[in-house]
Amino acid sequence: MTQDAPLLVIAAGGTGGHMFPAQSLAEVMLARGWRVKLSTDARGARYTGAFPKAVEIDVLPSATFARGGIAAKAMVFPRILGGVAKAIRHFLRDKPAVVVGFGGYPAIPAVAAATLMKLPRMIHEQNGILGKVNQVFAKRVNQVACGTWPTTLPEGVHGLHVGNPVRGAVLEKHAAAYIAPGDYPMEILVIGGSQGARILSDVVPSAVAQLPQSLLSHLRVSQQARPEDLDRVTEFYEAQGIQADVRTFFDDIPKRMSEAQLVISRSGASTVADISVIGRPSILIPFAAAAGDHQTANARGLVEANAAVMIPESQLTAESLSEQVTNILSQPDGALMMARAALSVGKPEAAEELAVLVESLAFPETYPAA
């Protein structure tokens, strides 16, 4: 990669919801001959292990009012201003052709610097409702790309639906053959964000234990759990004689999802994208406290396509979940139809479409209609 290659700066926060689509775009842009830098903060830098080695990690100070006490909140603006100043210095030294923000407060310095310097810039919103940082920049960027459609946008802002980019490891499993439930080994994958979800640890094991023996005798569970829940979930499954692999983090989710007959999950935007690209039946439990109830909006596409069942947290019990799992796993033809329906709403081309948007901002003369 030569220093003459155009530079893309990707600004993203330290959660999988922001980092997975950012990683996907980085992979595609590197393949197109661009140089790529990731702008994040110290927290976000801990989540960059899966990014291609060619991506330079640029750590800038940032902060949020959502954490810490009075002293920490008093330092939010100084830290953000310091991050913006540092980003400007970096951009003057190595000018980006385009800056793309994926949301999260660690994205603020780079996107703010690009705005002040009038550099070509865009944001990508993964959820059906803009996050706080993307709300701030929606009217200050050249393009708003949307992962979930429809996305609620501020008045006067027009978004373009590109879908949520998925990592190369997910694309490799695109439309992987689905083995419908039957009298042979079956897998349920339970995921709730990068470290599981407390409510899934509370409810899923009991729900699985209530399944008919005809299903249980063939079943294996892979479940993410928070560190503090790991032992009790593992011990419950062992006591019930249920085969289960319980971990705080799975680094092979695309593989596990492709081998699963059913996915039980939160409805984070990246997870919904993975499910739709690989094509699997799912039971989605939106995070009730998500800002603007955006996880319900994220789940809507799969639910309306009859690819997923949505259970609100307020209605989630071991009994209600066990009933839905039984319905899906005891109807092979229905499960197969759900898997195909999931594929029908997937956008495996999302990263490529986002890459075209990036290049249209950098080289408008080449993309006159963009």
Side-chain angles (χ1 to χ4, degrees), residues 123-182:
I123 57 172
H124 179 277
E125 175 57 53
Q126 298 86 58
N127 300 297
I129 295 171
L130 289 179
K132 291 181 179 178
V133 171
N134 280 347
Q135 285 179 29
V136 171
F137 290 111
K139 293 186 176 183
R140 298 173 172 86
V141 295
N142 304 108
Q143 181 71 64
V144 177
C146 301
T148 300
W149 199 255
T151 297
T152 302
L153 298 170
E155 187 175 352
V157 173
H158 300 285
L160 186 63
H161 181 213
V162 299
N164 278 310
V166 297
R167 297 159 289 159
V170 176
L171 281 178
E172 288 174 4
K173 300 297 184 180
H174 171 49
Y178 178 65
I179 300 174

Side-chain angles (χ1 to χ4, degrees), residues 19-49:
M19 294 301 233
F20 288 156
Q23 177 188 330
S24 177
L25 179 61
E27 292 168 349
V28 171
M29 297 308 292
L30 287 171
R32 286 174 173 247
W34 283 57
R35 292 183 296 129
V36 179
K37 291 184 180 180
L38 172 68
S39 178
T40 188
D41 71 346
R43 175 173 168 261
R46 298 198 298 266
Y47 293 83
T48 59

Side-chain angles (χ1 to χ4, degrees), residues 10 25 53 74 86 93-94 138 171 189 193 195 221 226:
I10 295 174
L25 179 61
K53 299 302 181 187
K86 189 173 181 181
R93 190 166 57 244
D94 191 6
L171 281 178
L189 175 63
Q195 290 191 318
V221 179
R226 295 163 66 92

Side-chain angles (χ1 to χ4, degrees), residues 21-329:
Q23 177 188 330
S24 177
L25 179 61
E27 292 168 349
V28 171
M29 297 308 292
L30 287 171
R32 286 174 173 247
W34 283 57
R35 292 183 296 129
V36 179
K37 291 184 180 180
L38 172 68
S39 178
T40 188
D41 71 346
R43 175 173 168 261
R46 298 198 298 266
Y47 293 83
T48 59
F51 273 70
K53 299 302 181 187
V55 176
E56 182 180 332
I57 310 301
D58 197 6
V59 178
L60 301 176
S62 191
T64 174
F65 287 106
R67 296 191 183 93
I70 294 174
K73 286 178 169 57
M75 290 301 297
V76 169
F77 280 122
R79 285 185 62 80
I80 289 175
L81 289 174
V84 174
K86 189 173 181 181
I88 290 173
R89 291 196 299 272
H90 290 186
F91 291 177
L92 288 172
R93 190 166 57 244
D94 191 6
K95 185 179 178 181
V98 181
V99 175
V100 180
F102 281 87
Y105 68 89
I108 295 173
V111 181
T115 302
L116 291 171
M117 297 175 68
K118 295 182 169 54
L119 298 174
R121 59 205 178 276
M122 63 184 291
I123 57 172
H124 179 277
E125 175 57 53
Q126 298 86 58
N127 300 297
I129 295 171
L130 289 179
K132 291 181 179 178
V133 171
N134 280 347
Q135 285 179 29
V136 171
F137 290 111
K139 293 186 176 183
R140 298 173 172 86
V141 295
N142 304 108
Q143 181 71 64
V144 177
C146 301
T148 300
W149 199 255
T151 297
T152 302
L153 298 170
E155 187 175 352
V157 173
H158 300 285
L160 186 63
H161 181 213
V162 299
N164 278 310
V166 297
R167 297 159 289 159
V170 176
L171 281 178
E172 288 174 4
K173 300 297 184 180
H174 171 49
Y178 178 65
I179 300 174
D183 294 331
Y184 34 73
M186 294 186 291
E187 181 91 17
I188 293 178
L189 175 63
V190 185
I191 46 180
S194 60
Q195 290 191 318
R198 171 66 56 81
I199 194 169
L200 299 185
S201 294
D202 291 343
V203 175
V204 172
S206 296
V208 171
Q210 294 180 31
L211 294 173
Q213 188 59 38
S214 58
L215 294 177
L216 267 181
S217 60
H218 301 291
L219 201 61
R220 175 183 168 86
V221 179
S222 292
Q223 180 164 350
Q224 281 186 337
R226 295 163 66 92
E228 59 267 32
D229 299 328
L230 190 66
D231 289 343
R232 70 180 175 93
V233 174
T234 301
E235 290 165 6
F236 181 90
Y237 281 126
E238 289 177 350
Q240 298 294 321
I242 298 168
Q243 291 187 63
D245 184 3
V246 185
R247 305 186 194 181
T248 57
F249 182 78
F250 291 122
D251 57 9
D252 59 348
I253 281 181
K255 177 178 181 293
R256 289 175 186 264
M257 188 175 290
S258 70
E259 295 173 351
Q261 275 65 47
L262 175 63
V263 179
I264 300 173
S265 178
R266 290 297 203 190
S267 48
S270 288
T271 300
V272 168
D274 291 354
I275 290 170
S276 63
V277 168
I278 294 174
R280 291 297 177 263
S282 59
I283 297 174
L284 302 175
I285 300 109
F287 179 39
D293 197 23
H294 68 250
Q295 287 210 356
T296 296
N298 294 345
R300 196 164 291 133
L302 285 173
V303 173
E304 291 178 352
N306 295 316
V309 173
M310 182 168 62
I311 305 178
E313 274 192 20
S314 60
Q315 299 175 25
L316 182 67
T317 64
E319 291 72 24
S320 66
L321 180 58
S322 186
E323 180 182 356
Q324 294 294 347
V325 173
T326 300
N327 287 342
I328 294 170
L329 295 186

